[in-house]
Amino acid sequence: MKKIILSIALLSFLPKADAQHNSGGYPISPVPFTSVKVTDTFWGQRLKASREVTIPLAFSKCEETGRYENFVKAANPSATYQVGGLSFDDTDVYKTIEGASYSMQTYPDKKLSKYIDSVLVIVAAAQEPDGYLFTSRTMNPKHPHEWVGSKRWEKVEDLSHEFYNLGHMIEGAVAHYQATGKRNFLDIAIKYADCVEREIGDAPGKEIKVPGHQIAEMALAKLYLVTGQKKYLDLAKFFLDKRGYTSIKQEYSQSHKPVLEQNEAVGHAVRAAYMYSGMADVAALTGDSDYVRAIDNIWENVVSKKLYITGGIGARHHGEAFGDNYELPNLTAYNETCAAIGNVYWNHRLFLMHGDAKYYDVLERSLYNGLISGVSMDGGTFFYPNPLESDGEYKFNQGACHRQPWFGCACCPSNLSRFIPSLPGYVYAIKNRDVYLNLFMSNTANLQIEGKSVSLKQTTNYPWDGDVQVEVTKASGKAFNMMIRIPGWVRNEVLPSDLYSYADNKKTNYSVKINGESIQSSLAKGYLSIDRKWKKGDRIEIHFDMQPRMVKAHEKVKADKGRVSFERGPVVYCAEWPDNYAERPSILLPEKPEVEVVDKPDMLNGIKELKTQAQSLSINEKGWLETRNVTLTLIPYYAWSHRGDGQMAVWLPQEVGEVVATKMK
């Protein structure tokens, strides 16, 4: 077999714009990321790291770990091949191509495009004549991967991941088609989708099967929008409608009951978030209100009982799953990075459906905390789980207490490579003449409002201060309604539920001015509305009071009893060992701590530290309890684990009973 060598040594990216996206049937349409150029310091660094480090790293790992070789073997099957790895290894290739495609739409690169074409030659060669493409079976049909069964679809509801592979293939293929206009990947995905559609369904001669791991539902909805072929939407709806009625019924994969009867988030958190997103897509495209009611109920369950303060979901390592209501441990929290990404997808879709800022409050919390904590600031190492506490000994991250450059199961790094480049597409949205300003970051944006072109320039140092300026740099001559999200945290609401609440007596506020004149307007669904005929040079000045806030959890969250956490704006903070002399378990906070904000421009790519006074409890050589006053330093949660292994905690004791006194040395 001829060895194929694919080099990525000189990947580089330069600017490009554009492509309008279909709203996908939602009442509100997102402004595509290709129409928004981020000039922000905070997010600009993350986007740069993604295109210069994360994406090239993911491609190199696909090469080093045999992902590409699997396709080559599948094109030349043999009974002598030992099929190893995981049955979803193919998806790392698809996800990385997706991320690179997003990046190429704003930073085009001919070398990268040529490289991807060379990969797709290998992928296409592995596809069977009827469209089936699954290297874990095809490379050695007589002795396939141990998870996949003796024939197609036999274990698709268990561990084969055949439909999961299809889903990520479609997602990557659509992104690649939109970025390049080439059909080489899209045609591969369509052939596989047609293969599945011919063999799966209600009609005589077809098998009734549903995905074990969801994502095909949202991908097929997207393929319907790209091709206009309703059979793909019908297959997506079939997958949802038949879930809970097939032979495998288990909470792990949300197949324990029909989806319309589900009202609690259970099982594998990534699978769940992808399924809820797929339900939203199918509901938007079909008008099925029953789906909407179901996911609204599940969302209420998550936000009121199962969401971490960092926006993470999935409490348990076992099954990578949601726990019971209010089960939110810290040291052993799972909070998979992929689940945080799924949580963003889900909340974004619910916003597009309902137009309520509460979904963006959850999205923003996940984005600034439990999602970007999953990747180092240089883009080169990753967390799979994202706990809220570390003792420096429990190796929570697949054998380590720190981020790692790759994993055998590499879903999180490759998922980050596809999500981060798409971030600019979450900033704005449009419904008729309403323009929603949802995220705050410096950018320039070109919008289409009722067929007329409008350009905006947003300038801010968010999340480090609460001042945001929006300038109209190109006006259409027509009036439109600017809808400014007023975040829950500035409205003294941690989440749109009682799961967490502020434990101080501070009251934060906000103000909005147009061309220097104050605007008074009531809020509707968390948005301040300004309806006027805008002209070039009009300037909106938004100010959010941004103070350190102390948070307490609902009394039923046993893990946080007697403890508090701190946040400022959308950023959750933690105490980490390099900044604090006293050991973390021995710290006791006062009832009303005074918190100082300290600017640290040269630390961890530039942060705001929080400092407060506390006591450290210890036991002396005579066995007596001693206390000493200490200064407690807090850093943003996303920035922890950049300075070596050691202790870290988000929730800190404020009651003596929660303190573990240390022995004096």
Side-chain angles (χ1 to χ4, degrees), residues 47 62 65 90 94 118 150 163 170 264 272 274 303 307 390 410 416 582 597 616-617 625 629 635-636 648:
L47 289 162
C62 286
T65 58
D90 295 355
Y94 306 149
S118 71
S150 60
F163 296 163
I170 293 171
E264 180 181 357
Y274 285 174
V303 172
L307 186 69
S390 174
L416 284 160
V597 181
S616 175
L617 278 62
L625 185 66
N629 294 330
I635 65 167
M648 179 278 295

Side-chain angles (χ1 to χ4, degrees), residues 73-373:
K73 288 179 176 178
N76 303 273
S78 170
T80 64
Y81 292 145
Q82 183 69 37
V83 184
L86 298 166
S87 61
F88 47 85
D89 282 348
D90 295 355
T91 65
D92 294 326
V93 178
Y94 306 149
K95 286 184 280 187
T96 308
I97 291 175
E98 182 182 354
S101 298
Y102 290 144
S103 185
M104 284 194 298
Q105 289 193 59
T106 46
Y107 289 85
D109 185 321
K110 291 181 180 178
K111 289 181 180 178
L112 177 58
S113 182
K114 187 175 180 180
Y115 170 79
I116 292 172
D117 283 344
S118 71
V119 174
L120 292 174
V121 169
I122 298 170
V123 173
Q127 191 161 36
E128 296 187 25
D130 68 350
Y132 186 78
L133 209 175
F134 185 57
T135 67
S136 289
R137 182 185 308 282
T138 305
M139 73 169 75
N140 186 346
K142 292 183 179 179
H143 306 286
H145 192 284
E146 61 181 341
W147 289 358
V148 309
S150 60
K151 60 182 181 179
R152 293 181 184 180
W153 330 127
E154 182 180 357
K155 294 190 176 181
V156 74
E157 296 184 12
D158 189 11
L159 290 172
S160 81
H161 289 82
E162 286 152 292
F163 296 163
Y164 176 75
N165 282 20
L166 170 66
H168 275 300
M169 181 191 292
I170 293 171
E171 293 272 333
V174 170
H176 181 258
Y177 172 66
Q178 291 173 335
T180 66
K182 299 175 184 177
R183 292 187 60 98
N184 47 346
F185 196 8
L186 184 64
D187 287 341
I188 294 169
I190 287 173
K191 282 183 68 177
Y192 191 16
D194 287 347
C195 171
V196 175
E197 194 273 335
R198 282 194 305 271
E199 298 188 16
I200 304 297
D202 265 329
K206 292 188 176 186
E207 295 186 61
I208 296 177
K209 299 283 186 179
V210 300
H213 193 313
Q214 302 90 318
I215 198 176
E217 300 85 350
M218 47 197 292
L220 285 162
K222 187 175 291 186
L223 188 60
Y224 158 66
L225 292 171
V226 170
T227 65
Q229 294 192 45
K230 189 171 178 291
K231 65 181 180 180
Y232 302 128
L233 177 61
D234 292 342
L235 182 57
K237 192 171 188 303
F238 171 86
F239 282 158
L240 292 169
D241 288 345
K242 294 301 180 181
R243 195 168 206 87
Y245 291 103
T246 60
S247 60
I248 293 184
K249 295 179 174 64
Q250 56 182 2
E251 288 190 349
Y252 173 74
S253 58
Q254 298 78 42
S255 58
H256 57 300
K257 61 174 72 172
V259 296
L260 296 181
E261 296 177 17
Q262 297 183 31
N263 55 20
E264 180 181 357
V266 297
H268 190 278
V270 180
R271 295 170 191 242
Y274 285 174
M275 186 179 84
Y276 306 149
S277 298
M279 289 171 69
D281 285 343
V282 171
L285 290 165
T286 64
D288 193 326
S289 59
D290 289 337
Y291 278 5
V292 179
R293 280 191 290 272
I295 53 176
D296 283 349
N297 288 337
I298 296 169
W299 184 86
E300 290 290 345
N301 172 250
V302 170
V303 172
S304 63
K305 297 178 177 69
K306 298 192 177 188
L307 186 69
Y308 278 90
I309 190 71
T310 56
I313 53 174
R316 297 175 180 172
H317 277 247
H318 180 68
E320 301 176 323
F322 287 102
D324 294 333
N325 290 337
Y326 301 107
E327 181 187 340
L328 297 166
N330 294 309
L331 180 69
T332 60
Y334 199 65
N335 285 341
E336 185 178 337
T337 300
C338 286
I341 292 172
N343 199 27
V344 167
Y345 290 154
W346 181 24
N347 278 277
H348 187 230
R349 284 162 166 79
L350 288 176
F351 159 74
L352 296 175
M353 188 172 287
H354 297 302
D356 196 315
K358 66 183 182 181
Y359 302 111
Y360 256 91
D361 289 342
V362 176
L363 186 157
E364 182 182 62
R365 181 168 292 275
S366 184
L367 187 63
Y368 277 93
N369 302 290
L371 194 158
I372 59 171
S373 60

